Amino acid sequence: MATAAHMLTPLAQLSPAVADWVASVRELTQARAIHWCDGSDAETRELTTKLLREGELKPLNPEFFPGCNLARSAASDVARVEHLTYICTRSQEDAGPNNHWMAPDQAHAKMRDLFRGCMRERTLYVIPYCMGPIDSPLSRFGVEITDSPYVVLNMIIMTRVGRAALERIATDGNFVRGLHSIGELDPERRFIMHFPEELSIESFGSGYGGNALLGKKCHALRIASYQARTEGWLAEHMLIVGLQNPKGETHYIACAFPSACGKTNLAMLIPPDSLPGWKVFTVGDDIAWLHPGADGRLWAINPEAGYFGVVPGTNPETNRNAYDMIRRDTLFTNVALTADNQPWWEGLSTGKPVIDWQGRPYDPTRGPAAHPNSRFTVSAKRNPSYSPRAEDPRGVPISAIVFGGRRREVAPLVYEARDWKHGVLVGASVASETTAAAVGQVGVVRRDPMAMQPFCGYNFADYWQHWFNVGAKLARPPRIYHVNWFRRDAQNKFLWPGYGENLRVLAWMLDRCAGNAGATDSAIGRLPRPEDLNTTGLDVSADALRALLTVDPASWRKEVAEMRTYLEQYGSRLPAELVEELKITEGRLA
Ligand code: SAT
Ligand code: MN
């Protein structure tokens, strides 16, 4: 810990292991200078000033958006690149059919060629960071080396950067090594490589979000999921939220949805006026690390310290907390600008864009003004609903796990798994329409088990087995649910209003956990009957509600057949328990 002697030691001398690695990276990249990041406000100010001077950041209107700046990424570098993302385990089977794979030697050689001399004109930044509350035994540590000051600014917001992290690395001795360079931002020379067996990441050629902020998806999900398997816990693509009912009881739930499906909105949900007495507390909006506790419950921490959220659609109606939170000390990426230099995005009912996300005069024939995957980066401390328990080193106990996807049809509003084992099948069955968070076609349904398809650092078959193993350790496992806020009618209109109204569904779940709510059994799990949901003040017709809560056997038989075909690609590695659960569901649908 921070002894007086330690405080005097320069960062570069705290950990010989880190220093040696930095020296070898400097040798490879030929970096002009080295900057050890301490994560201080002064450092943020200094780097921001430098980027403003160089034109890499644009200041936003200080009257309405004090402390806010805009970054524009290269037009071909606006989302995660799953087709260029690899898991490099010694055996290809360990990466599984769910991942692109490259042999570690080959991947290292390829990346060495890219990194060689790439920082000649640049400063090398060393970012020691902690994922999770700094004093939590559940937290893990990493060091990212990057040549992008924009990445440094983001990492300082998104993780706990600085001396304390480096001190823990020096005492614990292990850390995840993440090497990043923006290279030439050339999509042809871009790779995101993961070496879970070596706890290391090498990322080249992109400056964007999940490709470049290595603490986030690369470390906290891909590498951590692998680590979690050996250590007996789970690293998941889940928000964590505390719900306090009118009686004053707070329960925490963890929800897995694919990117850009509303995790941030749900994590900061504002209860509708027609549900008085409810309060909502955000623990995390994207990633949960879940550990079986000595009490037989599942405990969760949010490894992150900030939000890297989708901007479009954020407004006082959809997410008042986020809307307020991003009006100060926020880094915007790829939004549009108004005439008086305020950030603008689709979904705002005020203001008018004059400059688009690429800095050109706005022309609606060229598409949206803000990029659909434009983002805000902001400290969690700015969130009005930030949970006082978010910094608790023990984490929070989880009462329910919720899986979900974006589905026009088939999936009902909500259903409950019969038990943990059935819940693993429910999670493995998640499918969702693709979004702008990843490069590729938007709106096509793809299988996205546990919303982890882009993020699981090893073979999904082994991952599902690990889910069964973790469940077996829990004397008091959370209940497991599936939700779909995105059902549409024949006219393509949403059947469910979503946002704050989603609390009605969550309230039903918590009542189920407490043994106070009814349900009806179906082939795929238990659903609320319309009378089991609190519908006071809800503007949804009885017909729509019935449609939302109906399981159509024919479309579900088709769904489950697709599920079987999907699972069969995992061959003999597929857990017997999962096959058993699938057979039970098939039998119930027959
Ligand atoms: O680009 S990120 O991976 O950080 C955001 C997301 O896709 O969820
Ligand atoms: Mn995400």
Side-chain angles (χ1 to χ4, degrees):
M1 288 287 96
T3 60
H6 257 144
M7 292 305 287
L8 299 174
T9 314
L11 291 177
Q13 288 166 24
L14 272 180
S15 160
V18 175
D20 287 352
W21 178 53
V22 170
S24 71
V25 170
R26 183 178 202 178
E27 167 95 28
L28 174 66
T29 60
Q30 297 289 302
R32 193 186 52 184
I34 298 186
H35 173 122
W36 288 75
C37 300
D38 63 12
S40 64
D41 292 347
E43 182 168 69
T44 291
R45 272 195 304 276
E46 186 191 310
L47 287 173
T48 303
T49 306
K50 168 185 148 69
L51 291 183
L52 287 167
R53 197 174 52 230
E54 292 167 356
E56 294 289 318
L57 284 182
K58 306 259 173 259
L60 294 168
N61 186 319
E63 188 187 338
F64 300 107
F65 287 86
C68 296
N69 295 291
L70 165 65
R72 293 195 184 107
S73 67
S76 61
D77 187 29
V78 292
R80 282 182 289 103
V81 282
E82 294 177 8
H83 59 297
L84 302 173
T85 299
Y86 288 78
I87 298 296
C88 308
T89 41
R90 273 173 307 227
S91 135
Q92 180 165 6
E93 282 72 49
D94 289 343
N98 46 306
N99 281 304
H100 299 296
W101 174 84
M102 200 181 288
D105 287 351
Q106 193 194 342
H108 280 308
K110 196 181 206 33
M111 298 308 276
R112 245 192 324 273
D113 284 347
L114 293 171
F115 279 112
R116 190 168 293 121
C118 73
M119 298 187 192
R120 241 183 269 279
E121 307 299 323
R122 300 178 188 162
T123 297
L124 175 164
Y125 296 89
V126 184
I127 315 170
Y129 64 87
C130 169
M131 300 308 289
I134 195 84
D135 51 352
S136 170
L138 312 181
S139 295
R140 295 289 182 274
F141 297 83
V143 178
E144 174 166 358
I145 292 180
T146 181
D147 54 9
S148 161
Y150 165 80
V151 165
V152 177
L153 287 176
N154 277 278
M155 284 290 286
I156 289 175
I157 298 171
M158 295 303 298
T159 73
R160 285 121 173 133
V161 168
R163 178 173 292 269
L166 203 50
E167 281 172 358
R168 277 284 299 269
I169 289 170
T171 18
D172 299 5
N174 64 47
F175 63 99
V176 171
R177 285 157 209 251
L179 174 53
H180 169 254
S181 169
I182 55 172
E184 312 83 35
L185 295 175
D186 176 359
E188 301 297 318
R189 286 163 50 84
R190 178 176 296 164
F191 288 102
I192 326 293
M193 302 283 194
H194 302 74
F195 306 88
E197 291 151 344
E198 304 165 19
L199 300 186
S200 80
I201 305 154
E202 294 175 8
S203 166
F204 191 91
S206 167
Y208 194 78
N211 304 327
L213 315 180
L214 301 187
K216 195 172 180 53
K217 299 308 200 310
C218 299
H219 176 166
L221 287 177
R222 297 196 191 96
I223 299 289
S225 62
Y226 184 95
Q227 245 183 328
R229 180 184 167 217
T230 21
E231 297 173 4
W233 50 283
L234 294 163
E236 298 297 328
H237 192 207
M238 291 176 177
L239 68 92
I240 308 163
V241 66
L243 306 168
Q244 184 186 314
N245 67 21
K247 284 184 269 177
E249 302 155 346
T250 304
H251 284 274
Y252 296 89
I253 64 173
C255 311
F257 308 132
S259 300
C261 287
K263 282 201 300 300
T264 305
N265 291 339
L266 188 62
M268 299 175 190
L269 179 148
I270 304 228
D273 292 340
S274 49
L275 295 182
W278 283 85
K279 287 204 179 108
V280 174
F281 300 102
T282 317
V283 178
D285 81 327
D286 194 39
I287 300 177
W289 286 357
L290 306 163
H291 290 251
D295 62 354
R297 291 192 288 177
L298 194 59
W299 290 73
I301 60 163
N302 168 20
E304 300 191 283
Y307 312 117
F308 183 69
V310 178
V311 185
T314 305
N315 64 50
E317 280 72 51
T318 59
N319 191 339
R320 159 62 69 187
N321 284 326
Y323 183 77
D324 290 345
M325 156 179 96
I326 62 179
R327 302 187 82 78
R328 176 183 282 277
D329 298 334
T330 299
L331 181 49
F332 288 89
T333 302
N334 292 340
V335 292
L337 290 174
T338 62
D340 66 346
N341 213 33
Q342 296 192 52
W344 192 92
W345 52 86
E346 276 66 21
L348 279 186
S349 59
T350 55
K352 209 167 85 223
V354 297
I355 304 287
D356 76 4
W357 64 275
Q358 296 186 65
R360 308 172 300 188
Y362 172 54
D363 171 357
T365 63
R366 283 196 290 223
H371 190 276
N373 193 37
S374 52
R375 298 271 170 166
F376 55 76
T377 320
V378 65
S379 165
K381 298 206 173 78
R382 290 245 347 113
N383 174 9
S385 63
Y386 193 47
S387 166
R389 291 285 301 274
E391 305 281 339
D392 190 327
R394 293 167 306 167
V396 293
I398 297 297
S399 302
I401 287 177
V402 182
F403 294 112
R406 186 184 276 274
R407 297 294 298 269
R408 250 162 247 276
E409 42 203 14
V410 186
L413 179 63
V414 59
Y415 61 100
E416 179 186 75
R418 289 181 297 277
D419 54 21
W420 180 274
K421 287 186 182 178
H422 179 220
V424 176
L425 176 71
V426 169
S429 310
V430 171
S432 190
E433 292 157 26
T434 50
T435 68
V439 169
Q441 212 186 336
V442 168
V444 295
V445 174
R446 73 159 177 183
R447 308 238 62 106
D448 194 350
M450 278 81 171
M452 283 287 278
Q453 166 52 42
F455 307 122
C456 183
Y458 61 104
N459 190 320
F460 257 151
D462 302 340
Y463 167 81
W464 295 317
Q465 183 60 59
H466 182 51
W467 264 79
F468 287 116
N469 297 349
V470 168
K473 282 194 272 186
L474 299 173
R476 296 156 73 192
R479 287 194 186 224
I480 298 182
Y481 295 86
H482 185 284
V483 299
N484 176 22
W485 315 132
F486 302 95
R487 263 297 268 277
R488 307 215 198 188
D489 65 13
Q491 283 72 48
N492 214 24
K493 275 190 37 210
F494 286 109
L495 284 168
W496 181 251
Y499 302 107
E501 304 294 350
N502 293 338
L503 181 58
R504 298 170 191 277
V505 176
L506 307 179
W508 174 74
M509 293 174 188
L510 295 188
D511 282 346
R512 291 287 300 162
C513 294
N516 298 334
T520 176
D521 207 11
S522 86
I524 61 166
R526 301 186 195 106
L527 283 81
R529 297 158 301 179
E531 64 268 30
D532 294 321
L533 288 179
N534 180 344
T535 52
T536 316
L538 173 71
D539 187 18
V540 172
S541 73
D543 279 351
L545 199 55
R546 241 189 325 275
L548 282 161
L549 298 175
T550 303
V551 173
D552 172 46
S555 37
W556 269 96
R557 275 194 290 273
K558 189 161 160 278
E559 180 78 13
V560 170
E562 281 167 23
M563 180 63 190
R564 174 169 279 282
T565 309
Y566 169 76
L567 289 179
E568 275 167 0
Q569 67 179 311
Y570 293 89
S572 59
R573 257 169 119 126
L574 209 57
E577 285 157 301
L578 194 63
V579 179
E580 189 49 38
E581 286 299 330
L582 184 64
K583 281 195 193 135
I584 295 173
T585 299
E586 286 168 339
R588 292 169 70 111
L589 280 164

